[in-house]
Amino acid sequence: MSGAPPPSTAPAGTTRELLRLAWPLMFSNLAYTVVGFTDTLIMGRLGVTEVGAVGFASLCLLTLMLLFRGSLNTAATFTARAVGANHPAGVSRWASVFLTLALIGLPVALIGPALVDGLFVLLQPAPDITAVARTYAHIRVFEAPLVFLGTVALSIMVGLGNTRTPMQLAWMVVIVNAALALLFVFGFGWGVAGAAWAALIAVGIQNALAVLLLHRLHARAYGPFRLTRPTRDELRSFARVGLPAGTTELGEVGAFTVFQGVISRLGPAELAASQIANQFASLGFLPAFALASATGSLLSRALGAGRPDIARRVGWRGALLAAALMGALGLLFLLVPRQLIGLFNHDTQVLALGTSVLAVMAAYQLLDGLAIVLGGALGGAGDTRFRLVVTLTGAWLVMVLSATYLAPRYGVTGAWTGALAYIALAAIAYALRFASGRWQHLRL
């Protein structure tokens, strides 16, 4: 594992540079998708209820942690801006501030089980799903402290241009999680609890190593990285940029959690079909979220170096690349949907429902690529409050309300049509905002 040499000038803004930073992140995202595929395959051997329940529990856990993780992820924006301005002391200071803020993971873990139970009461999934999901979530919620510290460490690495170390750590999770899950679930007969313990151990090791490697690889050039007391100005900057970013992530995933809750009330087959189809849709997120992270990092560096022209070029190139890649995946959803769903489950009802869900997902792949990367570009510029407004308006007022209305009438396909409407709104709004250039004049 080796860190990239610290850049001290504006990025070139070329497609090659963007892809060089993005491709390890694509493989990182692939690793996390493989973890999800592995868990879904293993749960599929236990039953349809387990498939839906573990996916639902994972989404609930993500919802509980995202305000903090999304806010802490803006460490990349702050450190990349300091790198572009050729200010190593600024990198060290912001890295130390974010590592200190990550200690919020300790109280989150302590009250986590109560928060999980409260969320289940609010969403009211079917009783058989609740029992399985509660077992899984109550174990995994204790990973919060290391996850928050690791989130900061990995985000700082991305801001410094080191995306290979996060990739290597992500694939380590794949191997450790798969080996432990097979041992715990089938060897020890622990069932869903075994899958949860396997994930907890694998993720804990990954994030502990991320913190250690941040110091080993980058402390000499930018360190020291140590716990510190943030100043009022630093906290205001974090509140202005980081908290809206975290609230955006929470708002969107929270809306998708409620959205999944709507689907869960349709029955285990509908929830399983939605979960399986969403695993395939996550393949499209691999290049999109990787390009969003790379675009945001390079754009922030360019702004730090006083080159908004390069920042604009990076943003549009990243968005078009993501749209092309996700559009190709959408064609696959239309050509072989039953074969894809059949890789996970051969239940006749699940196959039929999953095929219809993939047809809807195919329609928004291209739009989702634009929305994800342009949203990441705006985040890299610090324009996080605009993203928050779009998310709260689109995810809750468009997606959740329409899914609540359509699901009882048109089933799981109707619910996903509501999600399509939200994605279209977000893509248009982010494109117009980025084209306006207002983000170029924001300060962190």
Side-chain angles (χ1 to χ4, degrees), residues 18-92:
L18 183 61
L19 290 175
R20 185 169 62 247
L21 190 62
W23 78 258
L25 294 175
M26 293 183 191
F27 280 93
S28 296
N29 292 339
L30 175 61
Y32 295 126
T33 301
V34 170
V35 170
F37 268 65
T38 301
D39 289 345
T40 303
L41 284 170
I42 292 174
M43 291 301 100
R45 300 301 180 268
L46 297 180
V48 171
T49 298
E50 284 79 2
V51 171
V54 169
F56 181 69
S58 298
L59 191 56
C60 288
L61 287 170
L62 188 61
T63 301
L64 292 176
M65 295 187 186
L66 257 189
L67 172 62
F68 308 103
R69 290 183 62 181
S71 300
L72 294 170
N73 250 328
T74 57
T77 297
F78 286 88
T79 53
R81 190 69 60 93
V83 169
N86 195 14
H87 187 32
V91 174
S92 174

Side-chain angles (χ1 to χ4, degrees), residues 342-395:
L343 292 175
F344 290 95
N345 196 286
H346 297 288
D347 181 87
T348 303
Q349 188 179 8
V350 173
L351 283 172
L353 292 170
T355 297
S356 66
V357 171
L358 281 181
V360 177
M361 288 182 171
Y364 74 63
Q365 289 296 302
L366 185 147
L367 291 172
D368 209 14
L370 289 173
I372 290 171
V373 174
L374 289 178
L378 293 173
D383 196 5
T384 53
R385 282 178 285 189
F386 179 79
R387 293 184 62 206
L388 177 59
V389 171
V390 172
T391 297
L392 295 181
T393 302

